[in-house]
Amino acid sequence: MIVRILGEGQYDVVDSDMGALEELDAKLAAAIEASDEDAFTGVLTTLAEKVRSTGTAVDASTIVSSDLTVPHEGASLEEVRHLLASEDAADD
Amino acid sequence: MGVMKRLSGVLQAKANKVMDRVEDPRETLDLSYEKQLEQLQQVRKGVADVATARKRIELQAQQLQQTASKLQEQARQALAQNCEDLAREALSRRAALSTQLEGLKTQHDQLVQQEQRLVATTQSLQARVEAFRTQKETLKASYTAAQAQTRIGEAVSGISESMTDTGMAMQRAQDKIAQMQARAGAVDELLASGTLTDLSGSSDPLQAELDRTSAQSQIELELAQMKGALAPPAPTGALGAGSAPAAHTADGDDHDVAEAETVDTPSDPAPAPPPIPAAGGAHPAGDELFSLGSEGGQS
């Protein structure tokens, strides 16, 4: 799976490592749902670190679309919520 | 659906908007490449803007520190002349500067981080654009092949995604600069309003008095030193014409001399102002640029 960390770059993560990422992803969604800024910041940092440590950075000469995208590290909950809200608008 | 998947959808939708869909795939490639070059240029300008903003903060921190040093020196002078109220006023103004400096430091740290990230993404985008240019020619040469269309689509959407990501990073940096400018403006106003320079202005009678007595003390001190230098060397020969014997030979007003020393000596080891960072250089402004602690050692 190709995972992009916004503002940073792409990583190739093998399927066997995806379980841990999906778990963190679910926690991130829960933190957004609960408007829990502290939890959100913590999970986002862990998630980005996990992608970096388990994945292999995609070489800059490789042009490929991403399957999954992690928000900018240090992004606020509000910022990510705003990004996700543009999902519907972008579908038009 | 997870956050990561949804966010990918958002990113791809944004990327699709910047893609030009035209009949001839070869033209799609060329148009996309033109757009990439255009964006690279914009991003380079964005990086320069962030660097400019960072330097402005560093310059302001430097000005705040100089003002703080001046206030500290004034407090010392005032105290030496038993004007405790004036000394207190100078120190409280200095404390207000310290708060401003802390705010600047936070912004500076964030900006440095964004600048570094933006530089890194720009470099990687540049490498991808270069790779795209090479692939583009290969794809154009073989574009009649059945799979060429698909591969063109993949290459274009892949690079569009990278461009979109870089564009978003640039937007974030610009937002940060906008926030920063509000504070920078406030600091500029503070520095320009005279609030902080009243004490050294000639319109301030207390400062004028401080200056006058301090100048007198300086003259007395110099006289004493000259007398010391003219006097025959002390029998022990160990002290020479240093300031200690000079203080003793000053006939008459010993008090003035002692006071002059108190007032004068701190200005000698005054810390050099932090250097202005070199253009486009690293980020030398460590904590020392945003701290007033260093000159505390003088007192």
Short mmCIF file of all heavy atoms in Angstrom, two decimals, chain A residues 18-47 50 71 77 80-81 84, chain B residues 1-4:
data_model
loop_
_atom_site.label_atom_id
_atom_site.label_comp_id
_atom_site.label_asym_id
_atom_site.label_seq_id
_atom_site.Cartn_x
_atom_site.Cartn_y
_atom_site.Cartn_z
N MET A 18 -0.20 -3.31 7.77
CA MET A 18 -1.35 -2.43 7.63
C MET A 18 -2.31 -2.50 8.82
O MET A 18 -3.00 -1.54 9.13
CB MET A 18 -2.11 -2.73 6.33
CG MET A 18 -1.43 -2.22 5.06
SD MET A 18 -0.95 -0.48 5.15
CE MET A 18 -2.55 0.29 5.33
N GLY A 19 -2.34 -3.66 9.48
CA GLY A 19 -3.26 -3.84 10.61
C GLY A 19 -3.06 -2.78 11.68
O GLY A 19 -4.02 -2.13 12.13
N ALA A 20 -1.78 -2.56 12.03
CA ALA A 20 -1.47 -1.58 13.08
C ALA A 20 -1.90 -0.18 12.63
O ALA A 20 -2.42 0.61 13.43
CB ALA A 20 0.03 -1.61 13.36
N LEU A 21 -1.70 0.14 11.35
CA LEU A 21 -2.08 1.46 10.85
C LEU A 21 -3.60 1.65 10.88
O LEU A 21 -4.10 2.71 11.23
CB LEU A 21 -1.57 1.65 9.41
CG LEU A 21 -0.06 1.73 9.19
CD1 LEU A 21 0.25 2.13 7.76
CD2 LEU A 21 0.58 2.72 10.15
N GLU A 22 -4.29 0.56 10.52
CA GLU A 22 -5.76 0.67 10.50
C GLU A 22 -6.33 0.87 11.91
O GLU A 22 -7.31 1.60 12.10
CB GLU A 22 -6.38 -0.57 9.84
CG GLU A 22 -6.39 -0.43 8.32
CD GLU A 22 -6.44 -1.77 7.59
OE1 GLU A 22 -6.78 -2.80 8.23
OE2 GLU A 22 -6.13 -1.80 6.39
N GLU A 23 -5.67 0.23 12.86
CA GLU A 23 -6.09 0.41 14.25
C GLU A 23 -5.96 1.89 14.67
O GLU A 23 -6.87 2.46 15.27
CB GLU A 23 -5.20 -0.43 15.16
CG GLU A 23 -5.93 -1.40 16.06
CD GLU A 23 -4.95 -2.35 16.73
OE1 GLU A 23 -4.30 -1.92 17.69
OE2 GLU A 23 -4.83 -3.51 16.25
N LEU A 24 -4.81 2.45 14.34
CA LEU A 24 -4.56 3.85 14.68
C LEU A 24 -5.52 4.77 13.92
O LEU A 24 -6.00 5.78 14.45
CB LEU A 24 -3.12 4.23 14.36
CG LEU A 24 -2.06 3.65 15.31
CD1 LEU A 24 -0.67 3.75 14.72
CD2 LEU A 24 -2.12 4.38 16.66
N ASP A 25 -5.81 4.38 12.69
CA ASP A 25 -6.74 5.15 11.87
C ASP A 25 -8.11 5.22 12.52
O ASP A 25 -8.74 6.28 12.57
CB ASP A 25 -6.82 4.49 10.48
CG ASP A 25 -7.54 5.37 9.47
OD1 ASP A 25 -7.56 6.61 9.67
OD2 ASP A 25 -8.08 4.84 8.48
N ALA A 26 -8.53 4.08 13.08
CA ALA A 26 -9.83 4.03 13.75
C ALA A 26 -9.83 4.93 14.99
O ALA A 26 -10.81 5.63 15.28
CB ALA A 26 -10.15 2.59 14.14
N LYS A 27 -8.70 4.92 15.70
CA LYS A 27 -8.59 5.78 16.89
C LYS A 27 -8.63 7.25 16.49
O LYS A 27 -9.20 8.10 17.19
CB LYS A 27 -7.28 5.51 17.63
CG LYS A 27 -7.30 4.23 18.44
CD LYS A 27 -6.01 4.10 19.23
CE LYS A 27 -5.95 2.75 19.94
NZ LYS A 27 -4.62 2.45 20.47
N LEU A 28 -8.02 7.54 15.36
CA LEU A 28 -8.00 8.92 14.87
C LEU A 28 -9.43 9.38 14.55
O LEU A 28 -9.84 10.49 14.92
CB LEU A 28 -7.11 9.01 13.62
CG LEU A 28 -6.69 10.41 13.18
CD1 LEU A 28 -5.75 11.03 14.21
CD2 LEU A 28 -6.00 10.37 11.82
N ALA A 29 -10.16 8.49 13.87
CA ALA A 29 -11.55 8.81 13.53
C ALA A 29 -12.37 9.04 14.79
O ALA A 29 -13.18 9.96 14.86
CB ALA A 29 -12.14 7.68 12.69
N ALA A 30 -12.12 8.19 15.81
CA ALA A 30 -12.86 8.31 17.07
C ALA A 30 -12.54 9.65 17.75
O ALA A 30 -13.44 10.30 18.30
CB ALA A 30 -12.51 7.15 17.99
N ALA A 31 -11.27 10.04 17.72
CA ALA A 31 -10.87 11.30 18.34
C ALA A 31 -11.53 12.49 17.64
O ALA A 31 -11.95 13.46 18.29
CB ALA A 31 -9.36 11.44 18.31
N ILE A 32 -11.64 12.39 16.31
CA ILE A 32 -12.30 13.47 15.56
C ILE A 32 -13.79 13.51 15.94
O ILE A 32 -14.35 14.57 16.20
CB ILE A 32 -12.13 13.27 14.03
CG1 ILE A 32 -10.65 13.40 13.66
CG2 ILE A 32 -12.98 14.28 13.27
CD1 ILE A 32 -10.34 13.08 12.22
N GLU A 33 -14.35 12.32 15.98
CA GLU A 33 -15.77 12.20 16.32
C GLU A 33 -16.05 12.82 17.69
O GLU A 33 -17.04 13.53 17.88
CB GLU A 33 -16.16 10.71 16.33
CG GLU A 33 -17.64 10.44 16.49
CD GLU A 33 -18.45 10.88 15.27
OE1 GLU A 33 -17.92 10.85 14.14
OE2 GLU A 33 -19.60 11.27 15.47
N ALA A 34 -15.14 12.55 18.64
CA ALA A 34 -15.33 13.01 20.02
C ALA A 34 -14.81 14.42 20.24
O ALA A 34 -14.86 14.94 21.35
CB ALA A 34 -14.64 12.04 20.97
N SER A 35 -14.26 15.03 19.19
CA SER A 35 -13.64 16.36 19.29
C SER A 35 -12.59 16.39 20.41
O SER A 35 -12.45 17.37 21.12
CB SER A 35 -14.68 17.45 19.55
OG SER A 35 -15.54 17.54 18.45
N ASP A 36 -11.85 15.30 20.52
CA ASP A 36 -10.82 15.17 21.56
C ASP A 36 -9.47 15.57 20.96
O ASP A 36 -8.75 14.76 20.39
CB ASP A 36 -10.80 13.73 22.06
CG ASP A 36 -9.86 13.57 23.26
OD1 ASP A 36 -9.01 14.45 23.48
OD2 ASP A 36 -10.00 12.55 23.96
N GLU A 37 -9.14 16.85 21.12
CA GLU A 37 -7.94 17.39 20.48
C GLU A 37 -6.66 16.69 20.97
O GLU A 37 -5.77 16.37 20.16
CB GLU A 37 -7.84 18.90 20.76
CG GLU A 37 -6.70 19.61 20.03
CD GLU A 37 -7.05 20.06 18.61
OE1 GLU A 37 -8.08 20.73 18.43
OE2 GLU A 37 -6.28 19.72 17.69
N ASP A 38 -6.57 16.46 22.28
CA ASP A 38 -5.36 15.82 22.82
C ASP A 38 -5.16 14.42 22.24
O ASP A 38 -4.06 14.07 21.81
CB ASP A 38 -5.44 15.74 24.35
CG ASP A 38 -5.23 17.12 24.98
OD1 ASP A 38 -4.78 18.03 24.25
OD2 ASP A 38 -5.52 17.27 26.18
N ALA A 39 -6.23 13.64 22.27
CA ALA A 39 -6.14 12.29 21.74
C ALA A 39 -5.78 12.34 20.26
O ALA A 39 -4.93 11.59 19.78
CB ALA A 39 -7.46 11.56 21.94
N PHE A 40 -6.42 13.27 19.56
CA PHE A 40 -6.19 13.42 18.12
C PHE A 40 -4.71 13.67 17.83
O PHE A 40 -4.09 13.00 17.00
CB PHE A 40 -7.04 14.57 17.59
CG PHE A 40 -6.74 14.93 16.16
CD1 PHE A 40 -7.33 14.22 15.11
CD2 PHE A 40 -5.87 15.96 15.85
CE1 PHE A 40 -7.04 14.53 13.79
CE2 PHE A 40 -5.58 16.28 14.54
CZ PHE A 40 -6.17 15.56 13.51
N THR A 41 -4.14 14.64 18.54
CA THR A 41 -2.73 14.99 18.32
C THR A 41 -1.82 13.81 18.61
O THR A 41 -0.90 13.52 17.85
CB THR A 41 -2.34 16.18 19.23
OG1 THR A 41 -3.28 17.24 19.01
CG2 THR A 41 -0.95 16.69 18.92
N GLY A 42 -2.10 13.12 19.72
CA GLY A 42 -1.29 11.97 20.10
C GLY A 42 -1.34 10.86 19.06
O GLY A 42 -0.32 10.34 18.62
N VAL A 43 -2.57 10.52 18.64
CA VAL A 43 -2.73 9.42 17.68
C VAL A 43 -2.11 9.80 16.33
O VAL A 43 -1.45 8.98 15.68
CB VAL A 43 -4.23 9.05 17.50
CG1 VAL A 43 -4.40 8.01 16.42
CG2 VAL A 43 -4.83 8.55 18.81
N LEU A 44 -2.30 11.05 15.93
CA LEU A 44 -1.76 11.48 14.64
C LEU A 44 -0.23 11.36 14.63
O LEU A 44 0.36 10.86 13.65
CB LEU A 44 -2.18 12.93 14.35
CG LEU A 44 -1.66 13.55 13.05
CD1 LEU A 44 -1.99 12.67 11.86
CD2 LEU A 44 -2.24 14.95 12.85
N THR A 45 0.40 11.76 15.72
CA THR A 45 1.85 11.65 15.80
C THR A 45 2.29 10.19 15.74
O THR A 45 3.21 9.84 15.00
CB THR A 45 2.35 12.28 17.13
OG1 THR A 45 1.81 13.60 17.22
CG2 THR A 45 3.85 12.35 17.18
N THR A 46 1.59 9.34 16.50
CA THR A 46 1.93 7.91 16.50
C THR A 46 1.74 7.31 15.11
O THR A 46 2.56 6.52 14.64
CB THR A 46 1.03 7.15 17.51
OG1 THR A 46 0.98 7.89 18.72
CG2 THR A 46 1.56 5.77 17.78
N LEU A 47 0.63 7.70 14.48
CA LEU A 47 0.32 7.15 13.15
C LEU A 47 1.42 7.53 12.15
O LEU A 47 1.91 6.68 11.39
CB LEU A 47 -1.05 7.69 12.69
CG LEU A 47 -1.55 7.28 11.31
CD1 LEU A 47 -1.67 5.76 11.20
CD2 LEU A 47 -2.91 7.92 11.01
N LYS A 50 4.50 5.59 12.82
CA LYS A 50 4.33 4.18 12.44
C LYS A 50 4.52 4.03 10.92
O LYS A 50 5.15 3.06 10.47
CB LYS A 50 2.93 3.72 12.85
CG LYS A 50 2.74 2.24 12.84
CD LYS A 50 3.26 1.63 14.13
CE LYS A 50 3.29 0.11 14.05
NZ LYS A 50 4.12 -0.48 15.12
N PRO A 71 -2.91 12.85 7.59
CA PRO A 71 -2.86 14.33 7.66
C PRO A 71 -1.45 14.85 7.97
O PRO A 71 -0.61 14.10 8.45
CB PRO A 71 -3.81 14.66 8.81
CG PRO A 71 -4.68 13.48 8.98
CD PRO A 71 -3.89 12.30 8.54
N LEU A 77 -7.13 19.35 14.87
CA LEU A 77 -8.34 18.57 14.62
C LEU A 77 -9.26 19.33 13.66
O LEU A 77 -9.82 18.76 12.73
CB LEU A 77 -9.04 18.30 15.96
CG LEU A 77 -10.15 17.26 16.00
CD1 LEU A 77 -10.24 16.66 17.39
CD2 LEU A 77 -11.50 17.85 15.64
N VAL A 80 -8.17 19.15 10.02
CA VAL A 80 -8.45 17.87 9.37
C VAL A 80 -9.95 17.71 9.13
O VAL A 80 -10.38 17.24 8.07
CB VAL A 80 -7.91 16.70 10.23
CG1 VAL A 80 -8.33 15.36 9.65
CG2 VAL A 80 -6.39 16.78 10.31
N ARG A 81 -10.72 18.16 10.08
CA ARG A 81 -12.18 18.10 9.92
C ARG A 81 -12.60 18.92 8.69
O ARG A 81 -13.43 18.50 7.90
CB ARG A 81 -12.85 18.65 11.17
CG ARG A 81 -14.33 18.44 11.20
CD ARG A 81 -14.91 18.89 12.51
NE ARG A 81 -14.89 17.84 13.52
CZ ARG A 81 -14.99 18.06 14.82
NH1 ARG A 81 -15.08 19.28 15.26
NH2 ARG A 81 -14.99 17.06 15.67
N LEU A 84 -11.68 17.03 5.54
CA LEU A 84 -12.61 15.94 5.28
C LEU A 84 -13.95 16.46 4.80
O LEU A 84 -14.62 15.81 3.99
CB LEU A 84 -12.81 15.09 6.54
CG LEU A 84 -11.58 14.26 6.96
CD1 LEU A 84 -11.82 13.60 8.31
CD2 LEU A 84 -11.25 13.21 5.91
N MET B 1 -15.68 4.27 6.75
CA MET B 1 -14.39 4.42 6.06
C MET B 1 -13.41 5.19 6.95
O MET B 1 -13.79 6.14 7.61
CB MET B 1 -14.59 5.18 4.74
CG MET B 1 -13.45 4.94 3.79
SD MET B 1 -13.55 5.78 2.20
CE MET B 1 -15.13 6.52 2.12
N GLY B 2 -12.18 4.74 6.95
CA GLY B 2 -11.18 5.38 7.80
C GLY B 2 -10.80 6.77 7.34
O GLY B 2 -11.12 7.18 6.22
N VAL B 3 -10.14 7.47 8.22
CA VAL B 3 -9.72 8.83 7.91
C VAL B 3 -8.72 8.84 6.75
O VAL B 3 -8.81 9.67 5.84
CB VAL B 3 -9.07 9.50 9.16
CG1 VAL B 3 -8.53 10.87 8.82
CG2 VAL B 3 -10.08 9.59 10.29
N MET B 4 -7.80 7.89 6.76
CA MET B 4 -6.77 7.87 5.73
C MET B 4 -7.35 7.67 4.33
O MET B 4 -6.90 8.28 3.37
CB MET B 4 -5.74 6.78 6.03
CG MET B 4 -4.92 7.03 7.30
SD MET B 4 -3.46 5.97 7.40
CE MET B 4 -4.19 4.37 7.65
#
